[in-house]
């Protein structure tokens, strides 16, 4: 936590200076512990006579680990203190192994157990890359009971929280299932880390009463037994495509302000209204892979929204992340880091453009935009093993992102034209999915490509990556059971 305790500097510090730095480092740990104050009480900086040793403070932190809400913060400080001590403290107390001797509290399971005990309804969507959850409450302090971050990737998206109208009883009674206004809270994390947490539980949980939760995605089957064993939660599987459709319908009916947006010709984000004729529409879901659905609207007698899967591609978010791992190697950090590289890249240094083949005049004769991609990574063909002399990793990242996104755009265009031929008007096209969350580069690439292909502006949703979880939540509201 304290950057001035870097190992390169620790050997240059005087004993007195090192003790002062140690005290500041411990104070930094206490600051991070302020939300719960459980671990802070163990970080006694000094006795009445002298500053305590590094090893003594390490021991305090080890004692605090099982008791605090986020032990990873304390363990990080423990590692820094060991480095600052020039290795004089017992090495066995800190390990570089991902499963250290320090017995870590499983913060992911603790967070899930807290959510399980919350009143209100819950919807889960556990995909191949990300696990997403939406829980509905009647207000109060429900949101605050779950930390903003937990584990390595767990996150509560407080900026996405919604207030929506309550829902009527599905049996037809006028009394609402929930109060007039309800709050939706949104949580996400990496599926792989969820798997590790479930397979390596390190702390006993209070299982309490059995709770049912509607779950979409492959995790509805893959993790059902573990959730039942560790958390006493019964999964109610919900078909993945249907959860997306019901999630879109749920958002459309709730109509939260500022939900829909698009981009203008200058590449600036602008707010948009829900289409007056929303159905039929296309839903392009870019997650680990890509699925494209046509939604035709609600079948009132059956009480279900009609839809069909038109097609898709295996070139999606997982393709981007997998190849980025190959490009970056040990430098790979996170999805956010990859997006930062993409934003700095220049695809024209990697992709062959139409103007590279035909020249500007030739493009005019063909009626094609000069900047249109003719071949992804085409300029690397003659690199002959010297790829990094031709393009930077940022350029490669931008080209990879463009390839993955435009693959979906080309398919969406084809299905849009087919739908227009059948219904006599172009359908609204919504781009959704976890891969697009915070991915401004992808949004702008989609919008720019739609414009070049002379299509109506594509539409995006603020909660696009949580459609499946909202569909699962909506499904639980449709039942008459009190879950």
């Amino acid at each position: 936590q304290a950057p001035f305790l870097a190992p390169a500097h620790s050997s240059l510090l005087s004993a007195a200076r090192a003790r002062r730095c140690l005290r500041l480092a411990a104070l930094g740990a206490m600051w991070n512990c302020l939300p719960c104050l459980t671990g802070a009480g163990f970080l006694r900086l000094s006795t009445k006579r002298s500053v305590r040793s590094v090893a003594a403070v390490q021991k305090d932190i080890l004692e605090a680990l099982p008791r605090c809400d986020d032990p990873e913060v304390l363990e990080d400080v423990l590692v820094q203190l060991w480095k600052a001590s020039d290795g004089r403290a017992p090495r066995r107390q800190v390990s570089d192994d991902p499963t250290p001797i320090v017995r870590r509290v499983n913060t992911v399971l603790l967070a899930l157990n807290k959510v399980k005990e919350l009143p209100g309804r819950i919807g889960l969507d556990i995909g191949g890359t990300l696990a997403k959850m939406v829980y509905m409450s009647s207000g109060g302090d429900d949101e605050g009971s779950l930390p903003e971050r937990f584990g390595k990737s767990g996150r509560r998206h407080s900026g996405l929280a919604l207030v929506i109208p309550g829902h009527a009883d599905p049996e037809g009674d006028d009394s609402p299932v929930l109060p007039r206004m309800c709050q939706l809270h949104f949580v996400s994390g990496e599926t792989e880390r969820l798997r590790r947490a479930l397979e390596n539980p390190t702390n006993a949980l209070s299982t309490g009463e059995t709770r049912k939760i509607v779950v979409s995605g492959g995790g509805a089957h893959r993790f059902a037994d573990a959730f039942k064993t560790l958390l006493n939660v019964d999964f109610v599987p919900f078909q993945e495509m249907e959860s997306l459709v019901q999630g879109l319908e749920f958002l459309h009916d709730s109509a939260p302000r500022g939900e829909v947006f698009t981009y203008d010709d200058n590449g600036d984000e602008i707010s948009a209204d829900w289409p007056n004729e929303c159905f039929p529409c296309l839903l392009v879901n870019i997650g680990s892979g890509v699925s494209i659905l046509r939604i035709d609207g609600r079948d009132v007698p059956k009480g279900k929204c009609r839809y069909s899967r038109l097609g898709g591609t295996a070139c999606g978010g997982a393709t981007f992340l997998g190849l980025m791992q190959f490009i970056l190697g040990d430098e790979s950090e996170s999805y956010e880091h990859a997006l930062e590289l993409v934003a700095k890249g220049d695809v024209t240094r990697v992709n062959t453009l139409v103007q590279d083949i035909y020249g500007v005049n030739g493009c005019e004769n063909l009626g094609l935009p000069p900047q249109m991609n003719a071949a992804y990574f085409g300029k690397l063909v003659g690199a002959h093993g010297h790829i990094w002399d031709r393009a930077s990793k940022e350029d490669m990242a931008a080209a990879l992102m463009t390839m993955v996104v435009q693959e979906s755009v080309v398919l969406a265009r084809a299905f849009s034209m087919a739908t227009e031929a059948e219904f006599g008007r172009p359908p609204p096209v919504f781009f959704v999915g976890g891969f697009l969350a915070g991915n401004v580069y992808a949004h702008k690439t989609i919008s720019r490509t739609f414009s070049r292909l002379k299509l109506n502006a594509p539409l995006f949703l603020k909660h696009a990556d949580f459609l499946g979880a909202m569909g699962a939540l909506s499904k639980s509201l449709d039942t008459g059971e009190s879950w």
Side-chain angles (χ1 to χ4, degrees):
Q1 296 290 329
F4 47 78
L5 285 177
H9 298 152
S10 61
S11 60
L12 303 178
L13 297 177
S14 66
R17 173 65 173 161
R19 284 195 295 270
R20 287 197 296 271
C21 288
L22 171 59
R23 296 182 68 179
L24 288 172
L27 281 170
M30 290 174 66
W31 178 261
N32 283 294
C33 288
L34 285 178
C36 70
L37 290 177
T38 305
F42 291 89
L43 293 174
R44 301 179 298 277
L45 300 183
S46 61
T47 64
K48 293 182 179 180
R49 296 183 179 180
S50 63
V51 176
R52 303 175 72 243
S53 68
V54 172
V57 177
Q58 283 181 314
K59 181 180 177 182
D60 292 341
I61 298 175
L62 286 169
E63 292 177 3
L65 277 172
R67 297 177 172 84
C68 75
D69 287 339
D70 194 351
E72 291 178 6
V73 171
L74 285 176
E75 190 169 357
D76 286 343
V77 176
L78 181 62
V79 172
Q80 289 293 337
L81 292 177
W82 180 82
K83 290 178 179 178
S85 70
D86 269 347
R88 287 189 295 271
R91 181 66 182 92
R92 63 181 176 81
Q93 291 184 347
V94 181
S95 172
D96 294 327
D97 189 89
T99 55
I101 296 175
V102 178
R103 186 175 181 272
R104 301 172 67 172
V105 175
N106 195 321
T107 55
V108 175
L109 292 185
L110 285 178
L112 289 174
N113 197 51
K114 286 184 179 180
V115 171
K116 176 207 166 185
E117 301 301 327
L118 291 174
R121 301 299 181 102
I122 297 174
L124 266 176
D125 174 25
I126 307 178
T129 304
L130 292 175
K132 288 141 287 188
M133 175 174 63
V134 180
Y135 64 96
M136 176 181 280
S137 71
S138 57
D141 296 327
D142 292 342
E143 183 183 39
S145 61
L146 190 66
E148 189 77 23
R149 289 187 177 274
F150 50 93
K152 288 289 187 182
S153 67
R155 182 182 176 191
R156 173 172 54 83
H157 304 266
S158 55
L160 292 179
L162 284 179
V163 177
I164 64 169
H167 285 62
D169 192 311
E171 300 298 326
D173 195 315
D174 291 336
S175 61
V177 169
L178 294 164
R180 180 172 296 178
M181 301 304 292
C182 304
Q183 292 183 3
L184 297 185
H185 308 289
F186 299 84
V187 180
S188 69
E190 294 177 10
T191 301
E192 175 60 18
R193 295 193 180 278
L194 172 62
R195 179 193 66 78
R196 294 178 192 172
L198 294 172
E199 291 182 357
N200 300 285
T202 59
N203 45 294
L205 297 175
S206 176
T207 55
E209 296 182 1
T210 300
R211 181 164 189 171
K212 293 182 180 180
I213 298 178
V214 178
V215 187
S216 67
H221 305 280
R222 182 182 176 191
F223 300 124
D225 291 342
F227 266 77
K228 177 62 177 176
T229 301
L230 296 173
L231 296 163
N232 203 17
V233 169
D234 283 335
F235 278 4
V236 180
F238 188 30
Q239 207 277 336
E240 185 173 0
M241 298 301 150
E242 190 173 348
S243 72
L244 291 172
V245 173
Q246 193 153 334
L248 180 67
E249 187 181 30
F250 180 81
L251 264 184
H252 178 261
D253 293 344
S254 302
R257 181 178 300 177
E259 179 65 33
V260 185
F261 64 97
T262 187
Y263 289 81
D264 61 20
D265 294 337
N266 297 321
D268 296 324
E269 180 182 322
I270 56 174
S271 181
D273 296 325
W274 287 93
N276 291 328
E277 293 184 272
C278 196
F279 304 108
C281 69
L282 297 187
L283 188 69
V284 184
N285 182 49
I286 308 180
S288 298
V290 181
S291 286
I292 301 179
L293 311 179
R294 192 186 80 187
I295 305 175
D296 294 328
R298 178 163 284 268
D299 185 332
V300 177
K302 293 183 178 180
K304 298 179 66 176
C305 207
R306 297 167 296 164
Y307 73 94
S308 57
R309 185 180 187 274
L310 302 180
T313 172
C315 184
T319 304
F320 172 79
L321 292 173
L323 290 177
M324 280 300 296
Q325 187 77 29
F326 177 77
I327 291 171
L328 296 177
D330 293 338
E331 298 176 23
S332 180
E333 295 180 10
S334 64
Y335 178 55
E336 289 74 18
H337 176 235
L339 293 184
E340 291 174 3
L341 295 179
V342 168
K344 298 175 183 177
D346 180 2
V347 296
T348 64
R349 297 188 59 190
V350 177
N351 293 346
T352 299
L353 309 180
V354 174
Q355 69 178 13
D356 296 327
I357 301 173
Y358 293 98
V360 176
N361 293 333
C363 292
E364 291 179 359
N365 294 332
L366 290 171
L368 295 175
Q371 294 295 313
M372 179 177 285
N373 292 300
Y376 301 113
F377 301 94
K379 289 181 179 175
L380 301 182
V381 172
H384 302 300
H386 301 285
I387 291 177
W388 303 120
D389 294 337
R390 293 286 189 93
S392 67
K393 293 181 179 180
E394 289 83 356
D395 300 332
M396 296 282 279
L400 179 57
M401 176 67 76
T402 301
M403 181 186 76
V404 169
V405 168
Q406 288 190 340
E407 174 87 359
S408 297
V409 170
V410 170
L411 285 175
R413 176 180 182 267
F415 292 130
S416 177
M417 293 176 67
T419 303
E420 181 180 3
E422 181 178 349
F423 291 90
R425 61 179 179 82
V429 182
F430 293 93
F431 280 84
V432 303
F435 185 62
L436 297 180
N439 194 342
V440 177
Y441 187 95
H443 291 166
K444 292 185 176 182
T445 300
I446 292 169
S447 298
R448 187 167 54 249
T449 308
F450 259 54
S451 177
R452 290 174 179 171
L453 295 174
K454 302 187 185 306
L455 299 171
N456 290 341
L459 300 175
F460 305 95
L461 302 173
K462 295 291 186 183
H463 297 84
D465 47 329
F466 286 92
L467 279 191
M470 280 191 284
L473 174 68
S474 177
K475 178 68 174 178
S476 75
L477 292 170
D478 286 344
T479 70
E481 298 183 54
S482 178
W483 291 353

